[in-house]
Amino acid sequence: MRTTLTDAAPSAARLTSSLRDIGYDFVSAVADLIDNSIAANATEVSVEIEFAGQDSAVYIADNGCGLTPRGMTEALRFGSRREYGLGDLGRYGLGLKTASLSQGRCLTLVSRPIERKRPLWHTLDLDLIAELDEWVIAENPRNSVIAKCEEILGDGNGTVVWEALDRVLPASGANGGWAKRRFEVLTSKTKNHLAMVFHRFLIGENGAPRISISVNGEKVAPWDPFVRDEPATQQLPPQQFELESATGVGMVELRRYILPGKRTFSSLDAFENAAGPLNWNRQQGLYVYRENRLVQWGSWGGTRGIDEHTKLARASLDFKSDLDEIFNINVAKMRVSVPAQLKQMLDRPVSELCILADRTYRRQNGDYPNDDADVNDRNNGEAPASGALAEVGLALKSAAIQSGQYDGFKRVMEVMRAQHAELARGLGF
């Protein structure tokens, strides 16, 4: 007996509308399209955020390898028919479409493959899909947008245009001053975001292909979260961890940094720049990189909470695309979940980093007396001041971690709290 099959293709109108809400904001959507430029072996990417009232548009052009007619169709297909391998920034075959349509209702893809003098173009239009309720791509007549794309392309090979920016412009007043100011703010935020997310690519670091990115004609300079060019930045020894996945064993690398306090930065401008888009407290924590592309930052990945005293602590966590499943990377490539097995491995090195960062922070803020005062206390036969005791406590914690005896040290401290509560509080336990 044969199985009866019934066509249950989803409603194109309904599903495309739902896919607009995967989770992109404007800057993460732009970043996702630059992933495609990198995949196309581009070395230069230009982003133009053009305010023109209702006719406002965003152009993202690159000098990548370009697309054939078949390649263009696949690029605009939801769930494109291609395999992603190790090293690819893509994953689901959705990014170009979902990122673009999260901000506007019309996506035009223009490309000049090597063998053609004139570019090809196709459009993915949500209004047309809603009208027909079909998965369709349109080839519209050449218009002013295509003419502008040809101008932007020059001798280049590809560009993407977002139009009908209903998620960017207000429902009313798209021609007003508020809308124009919003575009100015988005331009600034986009530069800062790209400087952070692609900082390794902007300098060709750690095996990442080097690219140049500009926003409205201004070249984006890399923003290093770990300010490694500052003489007072401290780096702890790197560590590697093995994680098991369905495809085998993958490696994760942890690099830990203690940033200088305000008084030991090379300049006030450097200190303020190092604060980052989220500012000092929320910029601490784990910076998670997938194939050298920053995908998550601003927390400790569930290993501990944000604290004022550890705001100088930052660490990079690198994994490759073969570990995507256990990191649960989302479609927008901007959120991951640190696996439970990795959290256990990170407990000790992250605790050590935070203890040392706490000590640096307190010294910078004068929480400890100077060494001469400590000597005087000891010479008078008096107990050290509470600030000195706290530093002793931090030193003991750090030594216990580095010696691999932290679990035993915690048990000792439990006894100390029970038998010498006041002394334990002075030590910070």
Side-chain angles (χ1 to χ4, degrees):
M1 183 176 180
R2 295 184 60 186
T3 301
T4 302
L5 302 178
T6 302
D7 182 12
S11 162
R14 179 65 61 86
L15 187 54
T16 52
S17 179
S18 300
L19 288 173
R20 301 192 75 193
D21 297 314
I22 280 179
Y24 291 99
D25 57 10
F26 184 87
V27 294
S28 63
V30 172
D32 205 319
L33 265 70
I34 293 178
D35 289 346
N36 287 275
S37 296
I38 294 171
N41 299 317
T43 57
E44 296 179 4
V45 181
S46 170
V47 180
E48 291 195 25
I49 303 170
E50 181 183 89
F51 178 74
Q54 291 286 4
D55 296 322
S56 297
V58 176
Y59 298 84
I60 301 173
D62 65 53
N63 65 345
C65 58
L67 291 167
T68 63
R70 180 177 179 180
M72 183 169 288
T73 299
E74 282 304 311
L76 293 176
R77 185 193 302 275
F78 284 90
S80 55
R81 293 168 177 166
R82 62 156 292 189
E83 296 294 326
Y84 292 96
L86 190 65
D88 282 330
L89 292 179
R91 168 136 179 97
Y92 298 104
L94 292 171
L96 170 66
K97 287 75 64 177
T98 53
S100 300
L101 297 176
S102 71
Q103 305 302 308
R105 298 190 63 79
C106 186
L107 156 64
T108 299
L109 180 58
V110 183
S111 186
R112 180 192 291 111
I114 295 173
E115 66 274 11
R116 290 179 61 100
K117 292 183 178 179
R118 298 295 298 273
L120 305 164
W121 62 84
H122 286 318
T123 297
L124 196 59
D125 189 330
L126 287 184
D127 291 333
L128 180 62
I129 291 174
E131 178 185 343
L132 301 176
D133 199 13
E134 296 284 348
W135 299 96
V136 292
I137 299 169
E139 186 176 349
N140 296 326
R142 187 174 184 274
N143 56 20
S144 60
V145 171
I146 303 303
K148 170 150 183 140
C149 287
E150 290 179 335
E151 178 186 339
I152 292 173
L153 274 174
D155 296 328
N157 295 313
T159 188
V160 174
V161 189
W162 300 347
E163 299 176 272
L165 302 173
D166 61 323
R167 297 286 180 88
V168 181
L169 291 164
S172 59
N175 296 294
W178 184 92
K180 185 176 182 179
R181 287 191 296 275
R182 174 165 173 73
F183 265 63
E184 292 170 352
V185 170
L186 284 176
T187 300
S188 177
K189 285 185 174 180
T190 300
K191 284 187 287 191
N192 292 338
H193 185 78
L194 300 181
M196 177 172 61
V197 167
F198 294 106
H199 73 93
R200 290 183 178 176
F201 292 86
L202 291 169
I203 60 174
E205 178 188 5
N206 201 40
R210 186 165 187 171
I211 62 170
S212 172
I213 302 174
S214 63
V215 177
N216 285 12
E218 182 178 339
K219 193 171 182 179
V220 175
W223 182 80
D224 178 9
F226 315 111
V227 291
R228 288 164 294 175
D229 58 342
E230 285 289 322
T233 295
Q234 304 172 59
Q235 181 173 359
L236 303 184
Q239 296 191 7
Q240 290 188 329
F241 309 97
E242 289 186 351
L243 293 184
E244 293 184 4
S245 68
T247 58
V249 177
M251 298 298 299
V252 176
E253 185 169 30
L254 176 71
R255 293 191 180 102
R256 299 166 293 164
Y257 302 88
I258 303 169
L259 276 60
K262 184 175 183 179
R263 290 186 293 177
T264 50
F265 256 87
S266 57
S267 69
L268 181 59
D269 286 343
F271 172 78
E272 291 176 347
N273 182 60
L278 301 178
N279 291 321
W280 277 102
N281 265 8
R282 291 192 297 142
Q283 208 72 56
Q284 70 179 275
L286 294 175
Y287 287 70
V288 185
Y289 294 81
R290 174 185 179 268
E291 301 291 357
N292 283 314
R293 199 259 208 207
L294 183 59
V295 295
Q296 184 167 286
W297 59 93
S299 76
W300 288 103
T303 60
R304 61 182 296 126
I306 296 295
D307 185 272
E308 165 72 16
H309 299 96
T310 58
K311 68 181 183 181
L312 301 178
R314 296 177 185 175
S316 65
L317 194 66
D318 276 83
F319 72 95
K320 294 189 176 297
S321 56
D322 59 344
L323 293 179
D324 280 351
E325 287 190 11
I326 65 172
F327 272 91
N328 291 320
I329 187 165
N330 72 347
V331 171
K333 297 193 291 291
M334 51 188 280
R335 287 289 179 271
V336 296
S337 299
V338 178
Q341 56 178 309
L342 181 58
K343 285 183 184 179
Q344 294 179 349
M345 300 175 188
L346 291 174
D347 181 61
R348 184 170 294 164
V350 166
S351 293
E352 178 185 3
L353 170 64
C354 289
I355 286 168
L356 297 175
D358 183 303
R359 181 191 300 179
T360 300
Y361 173 85
R362 292 179 188 275
R363 280 178 172 164
Q364 286 289 312
N365 287 276
D367 287 5
Y368 298 134
N370 60 38
D371 292 339
D372 290 340
D374 289 348
V375 170
N376 289 336
D377 282 341
R378 286 193 297 270
N379 287 343
N380 292 329
E382 298 173 357
S386 60
L389 268 180
E391 184 169 10
V392 170
L394 286 171
L396 288 171
K397 279 185 182 179
S398 177
I401 290 169
Q402 293 180 63
S403 67
Q405 302 300 321
Y406 188 55
D407 291 338
F409 176 76
K410 287 193 292 185
R411 289 193 291 273
V412 170
M413 287 305 102
E414 289 173 5
V415 175
M416 175 74 78
R417 281 194 296 270
Q419 298 182 4
H420 307 282
E422 187 174 344
L423 180 57
R425 280 195 298 272
L427 288 166
F429 306 130

